[in-house]
Amino acid sequence: MKRLLIANRGEIACRIIRAARSLGIETVAVYSEADAGALHVEMADQAVCLGPPPAAQSYLKHEALIEAAQATGGEAIHPGYGFLSESASFARAVADAGLTWIGPAPDTIADMGDKGRARALAIKAGVPVLPGSESFAEGALDGLEAAGDAVGFPLLVKATAGGGGIGMQRVDDPAKLRKIAERTQSAAARSFGDGSVFLERFIARARHIEIQVFGFGDGRAVHLHERDCSLQRRFQKVVEESPAPQLDRAIVVRMGEVACALASAVNYSGAGTVEFVLDADTGAFFFLEMNTRIQVEHPVSELVTGTDLVAAQLRLAAGDDIYDDLGGRAPNGHAVECRLYAENPEKKFLPSPGTLERFSLPDGLEGVRVDTGVREGDTITPFYDPMIAKIIAWGESRDEALERINAALRATHVEGLATNRDFLIAITSNPTFRSGEVWTGFIDTHLDALLSAQSG
């Protein structure tokens, strides 16, 4: 592989460019008119404009992306995360054009992207799943109430094609089930082009644990341990870490085994994540979904295993047998990642687009890594996700990692727009969080104290 087109933007595009460069692979960036001066465009060897700022007119245009690869001599396409990273139709179009798709096979993406089929495959592979229902197509809700009674309340109405917390609503009152299901179907149709939903049991005191897997497309698969992604706001991850604090290692071992069993069963190829919900009271865990792409939080796994997952994706796609390089890596130390967003915690975390009039990141701090796709003077536009940077810290222990990331956040300075920096400092300073007591309701439970601490 000599030249790679990156069908993405921002932080993840820059991350892929660095990995490709380490392997001697040239890169082609793509950009919308809003990103003409973006960092990923400057870093790449070549760059192609796709169209106007809205993603539907630029980053989501299948034909334009494939034409850009062909016109620049690109041999492969890496989709990053978000945008078209889990589009089976785009993966097929890439392969049909004679290009290499950096990711699993299109049929695998389609199977694992449909939550109903993914559940069925998980059950077949021996992975425990939450009580749930069959899918209900948009506008077809016959039998919904009976299904709700069978699943039990509280429950979640979830978009079959959803992801990232989009298209998911909790229902506590059976009388509100139909109205919420209709609303979720409409939202899912707008976001994913598929309005079908299903019901799934909701665990009140839950932890969100995921296993980083890597498959080789031939039935072999390994895992690179777990990540705890329990600190969430509206089902969106805020802080991630590895290893998971205060979690019985026997549970983690079993999670790794069943995650690999699922990846093997579908002949998974490349980096992927098997996500579980764990009952914090009983220790029982259940399959949530499989993400068929690199994750935003992959750096914490890289830091505790000494692995470059993006480089591994590229090497596998180029035909290298990297099984021995990835298998059996024991975790070393502890890593924590915080997502720095252009958002205002004081105003219900509303996005805060604007210009980075001052943007200073920590430099030279031991054990600290920063992944970003912007520089001082750049603009965070309303067109795309408002993440500014990922700040990651590694330490010999969890306490050391938390001290380092707290110091890194305090050494981060942004002016010109609102950010969640102080909110992240409040989280990583919070005594309850420091003790390792984490669950998906942590932020909601402690929200007033966290907001008060960030303004103190």
Side-chain angles (χ1 to χ4, degrees):
M1 188 188 302
K2 295 181 179 178
R3 189 169 296 143
L4 169 73
L5 182 134
I6 302 162
N8 218 297
R9 65 177 298 280
E11 172 270 323
I12 188 58
C14 295
R15 169 72 185 90
I16 296 167
I17 291 170
R18 290 195 299 272
R21 186 178 294 160
S22 73
L23 298 172
I25 300 171
E26 295 182 358
T27 55
V28 180
V30 293
Y31 62 95
S32 73
E33 292 168 0
D35 281 338
L39 181 59
H40 75 281
V41 175
E42 179 182 297
M43 288 177 63
D45 297 289
Q46 300 182 60
V48 177
C49 183
L50 296 173
Q57 300 176 45
S58 50
Y59 294 107
L60 298 178
K61 292 172 64 176
H62 294 201
E63 291 182 3
L65 288 161
I66 292 170
E67 288 173 3
Q70 293 171 329
T72 56
E75 303 162 72
I77 292 182
H78 195 308
Y81 56 72
F83 288 143
L84 296 171
S85 61
E86 293 180 286
S87 169
S89 61
F90 181 53
R92 289 192 185 98
V94 169
D96 290 344
L99 302 169
T100 298
W101 169 255
I102 310 297
D107 286 349
T108 303
I109 296 173
D111 284 342
M112 303 315 292
D114 182 293
K115 290 186 170 51
R117 292 208 298 273
R119 280 174 59 90
L121 288 166
I123 292 169
K124 187 176 180 181
V127 184
V129 302
L130 282 165
S133 73
E134 299 296 323
S135 294
F136 294 88
E138 186 176 10
L141 292 175
D142 290 345
L144 178 72
E145 285 75 15
D149 290 339
V151 170
F153 293 85
L155 58 77
L156 292 174
V157 179
K158 300 177 71 173
T160 300
I166 301 171
M168 188 185 305
Q169 292 288 323
R170 175 177 170 173
V171 184
D172 294 276
D173 182 354
K176 297 180 179 179
L177 176 59
R178 181 168 290 267
K179 182 177 181 180
I180 291 175
E182 290 172 346
R183 188 164 65 232
T184 306
Q185 285 187 328
S186 297
R190 290 194 303 271
S191 298
F192 310 114
D194 180 352
S196 59
V197 300
F198 69 103
L199 311 181
E200 188 174 77
R201 175 78 58 81
F202 177 77
I203 295 177
R205 189 171 172 81
R207 294 179 66 175
H208 186 131
I209 310 293
E210 58 189 31
I211 302 292
Q212 174 68 60
V213 296
F214 201 98
F216 302 92
D218 56 6
R220 295 180 299 166
V222 299
H223 72 81
L224 289 89
H225 310 290
E226 85 280 11
R227 295 187 291 258
D228 191 313
C229 305
S230 298
L231 258 69
Q232 302 178 7
R233 181 182 53 77
R234 294 198 292 268
F235 302 109
Q236 296 277 358
K237 300 167 186 173
V238 177
V239 177
E240 301 98 349
E241 58 183 307
S242 181
Q246 294 191 6
L247 183 59
D248 187 338
R249 299 316 294 173
I251 295 174
V252 174
V253 168
R254 181 59 182 152
M255 282 183 171
E257 290 171 349
V258 298
C260 284
L262 179 57
S264 297
V266 299
N267 288 323
Y268 194 82
S269 178
T273 301
V274 182
E275 303 200 357
F276 298 96
V277 59
L278 180 140
D279 189 321
D281 295 324
T282 68
F285 66 88
F286 307 93
F287 173 77
L288 273 179
E289 63 182 355
M290 184 176 190
N291 290 304
T292 54
R293 52 174 167 78
I294 198 76
Q295 292 275 94
V296 176
E297 59 270 23
H298 75 272
V300 296
S301 295
E302 292 185 324
L303 290 183
V304 297
T305 61
T307 302
D308 186 327
L309 285 167
V310 178
Q313 288 182 298
L314 298 176
R315 290 180 60 198
L316 180 69
D320 293 351
D321 186 349
I322 58 174
Y323 179 83
D324 290 338
D325 293 345
L326 295 182
R329 284 180 177 256
N332 175 39
H334 197 99
V336 183
E337 174 178 303
C338 290
R339 303 185 187 192
L340 180 68
Y341 276 101
E343 62 182 16
N344 192 337
E346 299 288 350
K347 295 184 178 180
K348 298 184 178 180
F349 298 91
L350 286 173
S352 176
T355 299
L356 294 165
E357 296 174 1
R358 181 189 178 195
F359 183 42
S360 175
L361 291 167
D363 182 35
L365 295 182
E366 185 176 3
V368 173
R369 163 178 164 181
V370 178
D371 287 8
T372 188
V374 293
R375 304 148 295 186
E376 187 168 286
D378 286 350
T379 298
I380 305 299
T381 76
F383 298 107
Y384 315 115
D385 185 88
M387 188 168 69
I388 299 171
K390 300 184 315 196
I391 299 174
I392 316 104
W394 177 91
E396 293 282 356
S397 65
R398 184 172 187 263
D399 285 343
E400 184 175 53
L402 289 174
E403 287 294 336
R404 287 177 171 178
I405 202 162
N406 192 272
L409 289 165
R410 293 178 187 277
T412 299
H413 301 285
V414 182
E415 294 178 8
L417 44 75
T419 78
N420 66 336
R421 187 203 77 143
D422 290 349
F423 189 73
L424 294 171
I425 291 172
I427 290 174
T428 56
S429 303
N430 181 272
T432 304
F433 174 70
R434 286 288 188 110
S435 75
E437 187 180 344
V438 295
W439 72 101
T440 54
F442 179 92
I443 288 179
D444 287 341
T445 300
H446 295 278
L447 184 60
D448 288 344
L450 293 170
L451 291 174
S452 176
Q454 72 158 13
S455 60

